[in-house]
Amino acid sequence: MSSGRVRTRRAALGLALTVAAATALTGCSALGSDSSNASSNGGGLEKSKIKVSIMPTTDLGPFWLAQDGGYFKAEGLEVEQIVAKSGQESMQKAISGEADIALSTYTPFFVAKSKGAADISLVADGTSVNAKSNAIVTVPNSTVKTINDLAGKRIAITAMNTASDILTKSVMKDHGVDFSTVKWTLIPLPNMAAALKDNQVDAAYMPEPMLTQAAKTVGATPVIDINTGASQDFPLTGYGAATKWVQANPKTLAAFQRAMKKATSDAINDRSKVEPLLVKYAKIDEDTAKLLTLPGYGSVLDARRLQRVPDLLLQMGVITSKVDAAPMIAPQATS
């Protein structure tokens, strides 16, 4: 074999080895990139285990789907849920540090901001009012027959300055009914149907699944749907966290947001994914899960939409000065 051919073969072999080495390095780099992504979704998080305060209502459909469907796990998150009796209590768990993130109706978040009681950031959307998803209800033996009968009556709500309080007042105001004489009675959601049956209250604000459950167990009937007037399509619930927690845990927050965004999209597109979770976590039967009206699910926060909440609170006299929603929104994960 000529020396020229030998040199050519050696050069070709050298090039092949170089390409192979580069390919191997690229492969390692690619694996490293995947590993890095896994790390950013797991080991790279500031906290891989978080606690989320919730209330067992249909608002939690996407959250439970993210939990049971492995969406949180795929992001490297292990999520523990803590049950609260009201949105106010849920928010307090985030403020105190008992929970990292809290689901609440939006009103307590804005009231706390207005009063300087806590520095809260809104981290993910939850739900909006849908037709027949929230209502003021009564029972057949109550003296309340129409919304005009609510003046001076005993109305069950979960807590003052929550959606149950503010939206009930808003609907009454829209219909010219004086709510200043109402005897507001604070009752946990699971106990409202019994309170109606036992004549402890004349009416109650209920979201699903309590609405459908109460209809089946005590014959509860709607006095008026909340999805009317100033409260139509109203931003109802969302997830909040102490601003200091948000600033200290940006990767963990982004992981939570990504999981919730995917779960919310799947919940909207396929109701059948949510119904079994309502049976499991909200403790309702399968028939109720199929019958009830789901709220309007969302995950990404929009400042203009959210501004409706503090604006209504100001209009209702719950807060005394305007609160801007935009600065309260935490950075949103883009993917």
Coordinates of all heavy atoms in Angstrom, one line a residue, residues 81-131:
Q81 N -51.5 18.9 50.8 CA -52.7 19.8 50.9 C -53.1 19.9 52.4 O -53.2 19.0 53.1 CB -53.8 19.4 50.0 CG -54.4 18.1 50.3 CD -55.5 17.7 49.3 OE1 -55.6 18.2 48.2 NE2 -56.4 16.9 49.8
I82 N -53.4 21.2 52.8 CA -53.9 21.5 54.1 C -55.3 22.1 53.9 O -55.5 23.0 53.2 CB -53.0 22.5 54.9 CG1 -51.6 21.9 54.9 CG2 -53.5 22.7 56.2 CD1 -50.6 22.9 55.5
V83 N -56.3 21.5 54.6 CA -57.7 22.0 54.4 C -58.0 23.2 55.4 O -57.7 23.1 56.6 CB -58.7 20.8 54.7 CG1 -60.1 21.4 54.5 CG2 -58.4 19.7 53.7
A84 N -58.5 24.2 54.8 CA -59.0 25.4 55.6 C -60.5 25.5 55.5 O -61.1 25.0 54.6 CB -58.3 26.6 55.0
K85 N -61.1 26.2 56.5 CA -62.5 26.3 56.6 C -63.1 27.4 55.7 O -64.2 27.5 55.3 CB -63.0 26.5 58.0 CG -62.7 25.3 58.9 CD -63.1 25.7 60.3 CE -62.8 24.5 61.3 NZ -63.1 24.8 62.7
S86 N -62.2 28.4 55.4 CA -62.6 29.6 54.6 C -61.4 30.1 53.8 O -60.3 29.8 54.1 CB -63.2 30.6 55.5 OG -62.2 31.2 56.3
G87 N -61.7 31.0 52.9 CA -60.6 31.7 52.2 C -59.8 32.5 53.1 O -58.5 32.6 52.9
Q88 N -60.4 33.2 54.1 CA -59.7 34.0 55.0 C -58.7 33.1 55.8 O -57.5 33.5 56.0 CB -60.7 34.6 56.0 CG -60.0 35.6 57.0 CD -59.5 36.9 56.4 OE1 -60.1 37.4 55.4 NE2 -58.5 37.4 57.0
E89 N -59.2 32.0 56.3 CA -58.3 31.1 57.1 C -57.2 30.5 56.2 O -56.0 30.4 56.6 CB -59.1 30.0 57.7 CG -58.3 29.0 58.5 CD -59.1 27.8 59.0 OE1 -60.1 28.1 59.8 OE2 -58.8 26.7 58.7
S90 N -57.5 30.2 55.0 CA -56.5 29.7 54.0 C -55.4 30.7 53.8 O -54.2 30.4 53.9 CB -57.2 29.3 52.7 OG -56.3 28.7 51.8
M91 N -55.8 31.9 53.6 CA -54.8 33.0 53.4 C -53.9 33.1 54.6 O -52.7 33.3 54.5 CB -55.4 34.3 53.0 CG -54.4 35.5 52.8 SD -55.3 37.1 52.7 CE -55.8 37.3 54.4
Q92 N -54.5 33.1 55.8 CA -53.7 33.2 57.0 C -52.7 32.1 57.2 O -51.6 32.4 57.7 CB -54.7 33.2 58.2 CG -55.5 34.5 58.4 CD -54.7 35.7 58.6 OE1 -53.6 35.7 59.2 NE2 -55.2 36.8 58.1
K93 N -52.9 31.0 56.6 CA -52.0 29.9 56.7 C -50.7 30.2 55.9 O -49.6 29.8 56.2 CB -52.6 28.5 56.2 CG -53.7 28.0 57.2 CD -54.2 26.7 56.7 CE -55.4 26.2 57.6 NZ -54.9 25.9 59.0
A94 N -50.9 30.9 54.8 CA -49.8 31.3 53.9 C -49.0 32.4 54.6 O -47.8 32.5 54.6 CB -50.2 31.7 52.6
I95 N -49.7 33.3 55.2 CA -49.1 34.5 55.9 C -48.3 34.0 57.1 O -47.1 34.4 57.4 CB -50.2 35.5 56.4 CG1 -50.9 36.1 55.2 CG2 -49.5 36.5 57.3 CD1 -52.0 37.0 55.6
S96 N -48.8 33.0 57.8 CA -48.1 32.5 59.0 C -47.0 31.6 58.7 O -46.1 31.3 59.6 CB -49.1 31.8 60.0 OG -49.6 30.6 59.4
G97 N -47.0 31.0 57.5 CA -45.9 30.1 57.1 C -46.3 28.6 57.3 O -45.6 27.7 57.0
E98 N -47.6 28.4 57.8 CA -48.1 27.0 57.9 C -48.2 26.4 56.5 O -48.0 25.2 56.3 CB -49.4 27.0 58.6 CG -50.0 25.6 58.8 CD -51.3 25.6 59.5 OE1 -51.7 26.7 60.1 OE2 -52.0 24.6 59.5
A99 N -48.5 27.2 55.5 CA -48.6 26.8 54.1 C -47.7 27.7 53.3 O -47.4 28.8 53.6 CB -50.0 26.8 53.6
D100 N -47.2 27.1 52.2 CA -46.4 27.9 51.2 C -47.3 28.7 50.3 O -47.0 29.9 50.0 CB -45.5 27.0 50.4 CG -44.5 26.2 51.3 OD1 -43.7 26.9 52.0 OD2 -44.7 25.0 51.4
I101 N -48.3 28.1 49.8 CA -49.3 28.7 48.8 C -50.7 28.4 49.4 O -50.9 27.4 50.0 CB -49.1 28.1 47.4 CG1 -47.7 28.4 46.9 CG2 -50.1 28.6 46.5 CD1 -47.3 27.7 45.6
A102 N -51.6 29.4 49.1 CA -53.0 29.2 49.6 C -54.0 29.5 48.5 O -53.8 30.5 47.8 CB -53.2 30.1 50.8
L103 N -55.0 28.7 48.4 CA -56.1 29.0 47.6 C -57.1 29.7 48.4 O -57.4 29.4 49.6 CB -56.8 27.7 47.1 CG -58.1 28.0 46.3 CD1 -57.8 28.3 44.9 CD2 -59.1 26.8 46.4
S104 N -57.6 30.8 47.9 CA -58.7 31.6 48.6 C -59.5 32.3 47.5 O -59.1 32.4 46.3 CB -58.0 32.7 49.5 OG -59.0 33.5 50.0
T105 N -60.7 32.7 47.9 CA -61.4 33.7 47.1 C -60.5 34.9 47.0 O -59.7 35.2 48.0 CB -62.8 34.0 47.6 OG1 -62.6 34.4 49.0 CG2 -63.7 32.8 47.5
Y106 N -60.6 35.7 46.0 CA -59.6 36.8 45.8 C -59.8 37.9 46.9 O -58.9 38.7 47.2 CB -59.8 37.4 44.4 CG -59.0 36.6 43.4 CD1 -59.7 36.0 42.3 CD2 -57.7 36.6 43.4 CE1 -59.1 35.3 41.4 CE2 -57.0 35.9 42.4 CZ -57.7 35.2 41.4 OH -57.0 34.5 40.4
T107 N -61.0 38.1 47.4 CA -61.3 39.2 48.3 C -60.4 39.3 49.5 O -59.9 40.4 49.8 CB -62.8 39.2 48.7 OG1 -63.1 37.9 49.2 CG2 -63.7 39.5 47.5
P108 N -60.1 38.3 50.2 CA -59.2 38.4 51.4 C -57.8 38.9 51.0 O -57.2 39.7 51.7 CB -59.1 37.0 52.0 CG -60.4 36.4 51.6 CD -60.6 36.9 50.2
F109 N -57.3 38.5 49.8 CA -56.0 38.9 49.4 C -55.9 40.5 49.2 O -55.0 41.1 49.6 CB -55.6 38.3 48.0 CG -55.4 36.8 48.1 CD1 -55.9 36.0 47.1 CD2 -54.6 36.2 49.1 CE1 -55.7 34.6 47.2 CE2 -54.4 34.9 49.2 CZ -54.9 34.0 48.2
F110 N -57.0 41.0 48.6 CA -57.0 42.4 48.3 C -57.3 43.2 49.6 O -56.8 44.3 49.8 CB -58.0 42.8 47.2 CG -57.5 42.4 45.8 CD1 -58.1 41.3 45.2 CD2 -56.5 43.1 45.2 CE1 -57.6 40.9 43.9 CE2 -56.1 42.7 44.0 CZ -56.6 41.6 43.3
V111 N -58.2 42.7 50.5 CA -58.4 43.4 51.7 C -57.2 43.4 52.6 O -56.8 44.5 53.2 CB -59.6 42.6 52.5 CG1 -59.7 43.2 53.9 CG2 -60.9 42.8 51.8
A112 N -56.4 42.4 52.6 CA -55.2 42.3 53.4 C -54.2 43.3 52.8 O -53.5 44.0 53.6 CB -54.6 40.9 53.4
K113 N -54.1 43.4 51.5 CA -53.2 44.4 50.8 C -53.6 45.8 51.2 O -52.8 46.7 51.5 CB -53.2 44.2 49.3 CG -52.4 45.2 48.5 CD -50.9 44.9 48.8 CE -50.0 45.8 47.9 NZ -48.6 45.6 48.2
S114 N -54.9 46.1 51.1 CA -55.5 47.4 51.4 C -55.2 47.9 52.8 O -54.8 49.0 53.0 CB -57.0 47.5 51.1 OG -57.5 48.7 51.5
K115 N -55.3 46.9 53.7 CA -55.1 47.3 55.1 C -53.6 47.2 55.6 O -53.3 47.5 56.7 CB -56.0 46.4 56.0 CG -57.5 46.6 55.8 CD -58.3 45.7 56.7 CE -59.8 46.0 56.5 NZ -60.6 45.1 57.4
G116 N -52.8 46.7 54.7 CA -51.4 46.6 55.1 C -51.2 45.4 56.0 O -50.2 45.4 56.8
A117 N -52.1 44.5 56.1 CA -52.1 43.4 57.0 C -51.1 42.3 56.6 O -50.6 41.6 57.5 CB -53.4 42.8 57.2
A118 N -50.8 42.3 55.3 CA -49.8 41.3 54.8 C -49.4 41.7 53.4 O -50.1 42.3 52.7 CB -50.5 39.9 54.8
D119 N -48.1 41.2 53.1 CA -47.6 41.5 51.8 C -47.8 40.2 51.0 O -47.0 39.2 51.1 CB -46.1 41.8 51.8 CG -45.6 42.3 50.5 OD1 -46.4 42.4 49.5 OD2 -44.4 42.6 50.4
I120 N -48.9 40.1 50.2 CA -49.3 38.9 49.5 C -49.1 39.1 48.0 O -49.4 40.2 47.4 CB -50.8 38.6 49.7 CG1 -51.0 38.2 51.2 CG2 -51.3 37.6 48.8 CD1 -50.5 36.8 51.5
S121 N -48.6 38.1 47.3 CA -48.5 38.0 45.9 C -49.5 37.0 45.3 O -49.6 35.9 45.9 CB -47.1 37.7 45.4 OG -46.2 38.7 45.7
L122 N -50.1 37.3 44.2 CA -51.0 36.3 43.6 C -50.1 35.5 42.6 O -49.4 36.1 41.8 CB -52.1 37.1 42.8 CG -52.9 38.1 43.7 CD1 -53.9 38.9 42.9 CD2 -53.6 37.3 44.8
V123 N -50.2 34.2 42.7 CA -49.3 33.4 42.0 C -49.9 32.5 40.8 O -49.2 32.2 39.9 CB -48.5 32.4 42.9 CG1 -47.8 33.2 44.0 CG2 -49.4 31.4 43.6
A124 N -51.2 32.3 40.9 CA -51.9 31.5 39.9 C -53.4 31.8 40.0 O -53.9 32.0 41.1 CB -51.6 30.0 40.0
D125 N -54.1 31.7 38.8 CA -55.5 31.9 38.8 C -56.2 30.6 39.3 O -55.6 29.5 39.2 CB -56.0 32.3 37.5 CG -57.4 32.8 37.4 OD1 -57.9 33.2 38.5 OD2 -58.1 32.8 36.4
G126 N -57.4 30.7 39.7 CA -58.2 29.5 40.1 C -59.4 29.4 39.3 O -59.5 28.6 38.3
T127 N -60.4 30.2 39.6 CA -61.7 30.1 38.9 C -62.4 31.4 38.8 O -62.1 32.4 39.5 CB -62.7 29.2 39.7 OG1 -62.8 29.7 41.0 CG2 -62.2 27.7 39.8
S128 N -63.4 31.4 37.9 CA -64.4 32.5 37.8 C -65.8 32.0 38.0 O -66.0 30.8 37.9 CB -64.3 33.2 36.4 OG -63.0 33.7 36.1
V129 N -66.7 32.9 38.4 CA -68.1 32.5 38.5 C -68.6 32.0 37.2 O -68.4 32.7 36.2 CB -68.9 33.7 39.1 CG1 -70.4 33.3 39.1 CG2 -68.4 34.0 40.5
N130 N -69.3 30.9 37.2 CA -70.0 30.4 36.0 C -71.5 30.4 36.3 O -71.9 30.4 37.5 CB -69.6 29.0 35.7 CG -68.7 28.9 34.5 OD1 -68.3 29.9 33.9 ND2 -68.2 27.7 34.1
A131 N -72.3 30.4 35.3 CA -73.8 30.3 35.6 C -74.0 29.0 36.3 O -73.5 27.9 36.0 CB -74.5 30.2 34.2

